[in-house]
Amino acid sequence: MELKWLEDFLSLAQTRSFSRSAEARHVTQSAFSRRIRALELWLGVSLVDRSTYPTTLTPEGRRFRDTAEESVRVLLGARADLRAGLDSAEPGVRIAGLHTLALTFFPAWFRTLTARTGPVATRLQPDDFHDCLQALVEGGSDFLLTFHHPGVPIPLDPELYPHRAVGADALVAVRSPALAEGGPLPRLDYGRDSFLGRVSHLAQAELGLPMGPVVHANPMAEALKCMALEGYGLAFVPRSLVIRELAEGRLVVAGPEVPLEIRLYRNGAKAYGAKARAAVAAIWAAAEAG
């Protein structure tokens, strides 16, 4: 059982709408529904009457609501207490970042920031887009490092989660030169609910590339790159991830590039500890200067 399942359930109990709760929780409606169902399966009872509109709780759901509220309150309180007791000498700036950016962008970019701020202890948490977003919203990270494309809006209130553009990349279609041309190419895809997957689908539609069937799906761009190198099909990946392979001719570009912005979002809530707040503010100021 996961804490976010309880928080999802409490949101649904308040909004009485799967779509509004999914938007508030920064996930797709299908992902939100799966998490509610997972909680019901774990409990062994139905919590929601799906035959009514607006959505209502079952008798079991109404009984469980008080337990869920108390559990969330106790767990979040315990987390706050534990964080307050962390060693103030090494507070650590917490950054949630997409896997690709953690590999290709973060190391050099952060060196330019610390050249201005001096040494800063950091904890980088690489994950997929939705979990990184959730970490920022739930207070598990101070910053979110992510790609941005205007066709895939990021559902964050700019008053609570301001952002700065800190770099640029591009999504590029690549394939092995050994892969035979002439007709639609087999496709390597990110799967459902993936940020880069949604951007790649937009790119395919906008560019009019003839695409064959999906032969492999993986939410990590690094994994799709490896499959493309082995000749399995065409993959849309960030250019920064394939610079060497393109230069060496092990991959070739199969279509126009789609520009991507690299953004740093900040959690507007106060970080724990005075020293942590100072470090977060210093990184934010350095990012603006950059």
Side-chain angles (χ1 to χ4, degrees):
M1 202 278 292
E2 300 184 32
L3 175 61
K4 64 186 175 184
W5 296 355
L6 298 179
E7 294 173 323
D8 290 342
F9 169 69
L10 292 174
S11 174
L12 183 59
Q14 180 179 17
T15 67
R16 303 178 66 188
S17 166
F18 276 84
S19 60
R20 289 203 301 273
S21 283
E23 183 178 359
R25 297 287 291 157
H26 308 291
V27 296
T28 63
Q29 186 170 338
S30 60
F32 182 83
S33 297
R34 287 196 298 272
R35 282 163 29 174
I36 294 294
R37 177 63 71 185
L39 177 60
E40 291 177 317
L41 290 172
W42 187 82
L43 291 168
V45 297
S46 294
L47 299 174
V48 181
D49 185 348
R50 292 169 173 80
S51 66
T52 62
Y53 185 83
T55 301
T56 59
L57 301 182
T58 63
E60 293 80 9
R62 291 193 293 271
R63 287 171 52 198
F64 182 66
R65 184 176 185 176
D66 289 341
T67 301
E69 288 176 341
E70 180 65 11
S71 297
V72 170
R73 185 190 66 79
V74 170
L75 288 170
L76 293 182
R79 183 176 70 174
D81 289 343
L82 290 169
R83 286 180 176 174
L86 290 177
D87 181 6
S88 59
E90 294 290 344
V93 172
R94 302 161 299 166
I95 304 172
L98 302 186
H99 287 103
T100 300
L101 292 174
L103 288 172
T104 64
F105 179 76
F106 179 82
W109 169 74
F110 200 72
R111 181 178 291 278
T112 65
L113 295 192
T114 54
R116 303 185 188 107
T117 65
V120 176
T122 56
R123 281 180 286 169
L124 180 62
Q125 304 157 230
D127 217 324
D128 62 33
F129 175 75
H130 289 294
D131 284 348
C132 285
L133 192 66
Q134 206 72 29
L136 182 74
V137 171
E138 295 180 352
S141 66
D142 303 306
F143 294 107
L144 164 64
L145 187 63
T146 181
F147 289 118
H148 175 263
H149 183 276
V152 185
I154 296 177
L156 290 172
D157 184 339
E159 295 295 323
L160 299 176
Y161 306 98
H163 77 270
R164 286 174 180 156
V166 295
D169 205 332
L171 199 66
V172 59
V174 297
R175 63 171 179 83
S176 166
L179 190 64
E181 292 188 85
L185 294 174
R187 183 157 42 104
L188 305 172
D189 199 13
Y190 289 92
R192 301 175 61 183
D193 302 330
S194 164
F195 178 82
L196 287 180
R198 294 169 68 186
V199 176
S200 68
H201 292 166
L202 287 173
Q204 292 166 31
E206 291 174 1
L207 302 177
L209 294 176
M211 300 298 298
V214 174
V215 296
H216 178 74
N218 194 304
M220 295 182 63
E222 296 87 345
L224 295 187
K225 180 188 82 170
C226 292
M227 294 295 286
L229 283 167
E230 294 297 329
Y232 283 95
L234 181 145
F236 281 85
V237 296
R239 172 173 273 280
S240 59
L241 193 63
V242 291
I243 291 174
R244 177 178 297 178
E245 289 78 8
L246 291 174
E248 295 174 350
R250 292 190 291 147
L251 288 174
V252 295
V253 174
E257 299 183 359
V258 178
L260 293 173
E261 187 177 66
I262 301 173
R263 287 185 174 184
L264 183 71
Y265 284 84
R266 178 179 179 178
N267 188 326
K270 289 184 178 180
Y272 57 87
K275 193 162 186 176
R277 288 197 297 273
V280 168
I283 292 298
W284 188 240
E288 181 180 31

